[in-house]
């Protein structure tokens, strides 16, 4: 299959590498010039699989350099770049191109649908982990599962083809008939963990130790669950507060991705996590005061990176 | 006048030093042994007045060492020690002892009244600044004004005597007939500045730069103002949101006291500032969601001092 992967961060590079390695024609796009140059020069090095291996992939910094229109576009940019990414890839679309988002957070499907039409869009979640070690080199951080599905839940030929291709590439993939439920479930886990981890500057496990972090986490999650109910989303777990706590326990030594962003003074995905809950809440008349304060705090912190008193 | 000062931190030491210097019989009490020993050995050094000066004061680590019952007790402990302080000084009370609190935050008057009877209690605010330089040595940080008053607003002989004595000692002091309004006004300024400064790790001036910090500050202050109205407190300024912003501007290079506490991983006065708004709100059925989240965050941070990822 001809595949274009937009966003060659840790996850985009991992998927691109594995799919190229199993014989697909993969093009990676990213604005990170150094990374793209290294991949073109030496191939992509994936560490953490059986043996260190350089995989040849075509990598580009500009969509215009891609000459053949792909069958599948996988979007792996940070959510705040989705809109730009959608505009960029528009000229690559054929009649039957599928566009798969495996991004974190809420709102990516809507943005992609707006620019590319909803017919082509498929979505999913992945629990694979990956880290950039250096330009051109990534580390597979434990395996996981990837779930993909049509937005309307039907099991189509294309979704089966993509799942089969992923599995052949070693990406363990299942087809789901409830992709929105999956995305919301993952969203709510992020709603309960990420921003709170930033504000307390602690690893995931600390969020379920002590009265007050748990109280805030519960409030964040309950607001999001109410909203999901109002939207008729079928969440995967009955008790999401318990589930978020379970994830904190399972990942207790992890520094969550938003905290990693803040420690490096980078823009966060707050608008697509707690901020998305607030926005949807306004639209649907669901009160989300705790997500509101937490969102405003993270946005304040982003504004103040250069003014912080070190400690 | 015979005066006992409970809490020989920066402010307690300053008031004690100035009052002793003008001829009063002052006893300082604090559990900070090193500071007390230095004062007893060499006197208290106050820097930042005309000339460096060692002032002789009796200083104690235990109330039981004080043999003569005072005419006035001034409480200068951190608010979370007020209850203990009240229990400790109970044996020192005479029929006509006045107990003055110049502490920050809400709730100190109630605690002192509970243990010592409300008859003796007088209250006030002070805008003097002082810093501990080393055990036995403090720095006067710019002068200010002190306002004191009877809880019922009447102007009594004792309040006039104390104001006169303070002024003689060089502590510029006014008598107020609205001491609760003053205390609440100061409280609300702290409500809008302190915890928010902690969460963003910035100096006061940064809180009024940018959309999101201002939005949170406004929400914090408005909840407290509503509560004050419900309690028939007469605040000193009509527009408290504007006043808090003005204080941020005037003190733009200050690291607020709660942020100083957090940077040193000390207990904060959150329960007597934003936490007091939440508690009063519950009691009076006033909704305070923003102060609630902010209070829970600070209490979480206190719980997690040893678990914080440094950055």
């Amino acid at each position: 299959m001809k595949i274009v992967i937009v966003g060659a961060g840790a996850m985009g590079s991992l998927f691109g590498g594995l799919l190229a390695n199993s014989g697909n024609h993969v093009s990676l796009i990213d604005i990170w010039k150094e990374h793209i140059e290294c991949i073109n020069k030496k191939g992509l090095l994936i560490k953490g699989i059986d043996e260190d291996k350089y995989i040849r992939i075509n990598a580009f910094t500009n969509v215009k350099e891609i000459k053949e229109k792909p069958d599948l576009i996988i979007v792996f940019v940070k959510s705040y770049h989705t809109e730009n990414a959608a505009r960029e890839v528009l000229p690559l679309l054929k009649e039957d191109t599928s566009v798969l988002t495996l991004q974190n957070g809420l709102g990516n499907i809507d943005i992609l649908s707006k620019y590319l039409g909803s017919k082509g869009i498929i979505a999913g979640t992945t629990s694979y982990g990956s880290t950039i070690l250096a330009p051109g080199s990534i580390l597979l951080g434990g395996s996981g599962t990837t779930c993909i599905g049509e937005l309307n839940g039907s099991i189509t030929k294309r979704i089966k083809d993509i799942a089969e291709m992923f599995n052949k590439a070693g990406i363990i993939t299942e087809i789901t008939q409830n992709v929105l439920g999956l995305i919301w479930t993952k969203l709510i886990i992020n709603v309960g963990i990420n921003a709170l981890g930033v504000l307390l500057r602690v690893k995931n496990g600390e969020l379920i130790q002590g009265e007050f972090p748990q109280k805030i986490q519960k409030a964040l999650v309950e607001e999001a669950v109410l909203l999901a109910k109002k939207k008729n989303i079928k969440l995967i777990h009955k008790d999401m507060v318990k589930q978020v706590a379970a994830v904190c326990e399972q990942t207790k030594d992890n520094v969550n991705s938003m905290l990693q962003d803040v420690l490096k003074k980078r823009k966060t995905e707050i608008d697509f996590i707690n901020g998305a809950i607030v926005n949807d809440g306004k639209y649907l008349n669901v009160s989300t005061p705790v997500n509101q304060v937490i969102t405003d705090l993270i946005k304040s912190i982003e504004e103040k990176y250069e003014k912080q008193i070190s400690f």
Side-chain angles (χ1 to χ4, degrees), chain A:
Chain A
M1 210 180 263
K2 282 200 192 74
I3 304 167
V4 167
I5 294 187
V6 193
M11 292 299 293
S13 298
L14 176 68
F15 273 65
L18 295 174
L19 289 167
N21 193 42
S22 61
N24 295 286
H25 181 280
V26 176
S27 304
L28 283 180
I29 317 177
D30 203 284
I31 52 168
W32 186 19
K33 220 172 153 180
E34 222 182 334
H35 186 52
I36 296 301
E37 279 172 2
C38 277
I39 293 171
N40 280 326
K41 207 178 286 174
K42 299 196 296 183
L44 174 76
L45 176 60
I46 305 186
K47 288 191 168 242
I49 44 179
D50 303 348
E51 53 190 85
D52 288 359
K53 197 169 181 177
Y54 283 90
I55 299 165
R56 298 243 47 110
I57 320 178
N58 301 312
F60 305 95
T61 54
N62 192 328
V63 172
K64 287 175 190 150
E65 300 170 77
I66 298 176
K67 298 301 170 205
E68 287 182 280
K69 292 191 172 181
D71 308 303
L72 173 65
I73 295 171
I74 310 179
V75 183
F76 259 130
V77 296
K78 291 273 189 183
S79 299
Y80 46 80
H81 286 145
T82 301
E83 194 161 344
N84 259 340
R87 281 204 202 95
E88 293 273 322
V89 301
L90 190 57
L92 294 180
L93 289 199
K94 297 185 296 182
E95 180 64 24
D96 62 347
T97 306
S98 299
V99 179
L100 170 62
T101 163
L102 291 171
Q103 298 160 278
N104 266 334
L106 206 64
N108 293 298
I109 292 172
D110 291 343
I111 295 169
L112 294 172
S113 298
K114 182 179 157 194
Y115 287 92
L116 309 176
S118 61
K119 198 170 60 75
I121 311 298
I122 50 183
T125 60
T126 177
S127 60
Y128 273 85
S130 178
T131 318
I132 298 265
L133 294 175
S137 157
I138 62 169
L139 173 69
L140 174 64
S143 64
T145 306
T146 298
C147 288
I148 59 174
E150 296 282 353
L151 302 185
N152 65 10
S154 61
I155 298 184
T156 56
K157 181 173 181 303
R158 68 169 175 178
I159 207 82
K160 287 194 274 191
D161 289 347
I162 295 169
E164 193 187 333
M165 174 184 66
F166 276 21
N167 279 309
K168 267 191 194 155
I171 301 165
I172 301 161
T173 301
E174 288 170 17
I175 297 172
T176 174
Q177 292 182 275
N178 178 23
V179 73
L180 292 180
L182 259 181
I183 289 174
W184 267 82
T185 300
K186 195 172 179 192
L187 169 76
I188 292 176
I189 290 167
N190 286 325
V191 161
I193 293 177
N194 292 23
L196 187 55
V198 169
L199 291 164
L200 308 188
R201 312 265 166 183
V202 294
K203 293 179 177 174
N204 295 355
E206 286 302 320
L207 300 179
I208 50 166
Q209 303 294 327
E211 176 188 352
F212 296 102
Q214 289 187 81
K215 185 178 161 196
I216 303 169
Q217 182 171 79
K218 186 165 179 277
L220 288 167
V221 169
E222 283 177 346
E223 287 178 4
V225 167
L226 258 181
L227 196 59
K229 276 191 185 147
K230 190 130 183 186
K231 291 176 78 111
N232 290 317
I233 303 288
K234 289 190 192 75
L235 298 172
I236 308 301
H237 307 279
K238 258 203 174 149
D239 185 340
M240 281 303 298
V241 172
K242 215 167 137 185
Q243 180 59 24
V244 172
V247 172
C248 285
E249 179 59 34
Q250 286 153 24
T251 62
K252 61 174 188 276
D253 292 323
N254 282 17
V255 174
N256 83 61
S257 60
M258 193 181 290
L259 179 49
Q260 288 182 42
D261 286 339
V262 170
L263 292 173
K264 290 184 176 156
K265 303 194 175 189
R266 291 187 303 223
K267 191 169 165 65
T268 73
E269 291 188 290
I270 187 71
D271 283 334
F272 298 84
I273 302 177
N274 305 79
I277 296 297
V278 174
N279 274 341
D280 260 21
K282 276 180 191 154
Y283 193 69
L284 294 170
N285 240 332
V286 175
S287 170
T288 59
V290 182
N291 278 284
Q292 177 77 70
V293 179
I294 297 289
T295 299
D296 291 340
L297 282 168
I298 300 293
K299 293 181 80 74
S300 300
I301 287 173
E302 287 182 335
E303 279 182 357
K304 300 291 174 192
Y305 279 147
E306 298 317 317
K307 302 291 182 178
Q308 271 175 0
I309 294 165
S310 57
F311 72 119

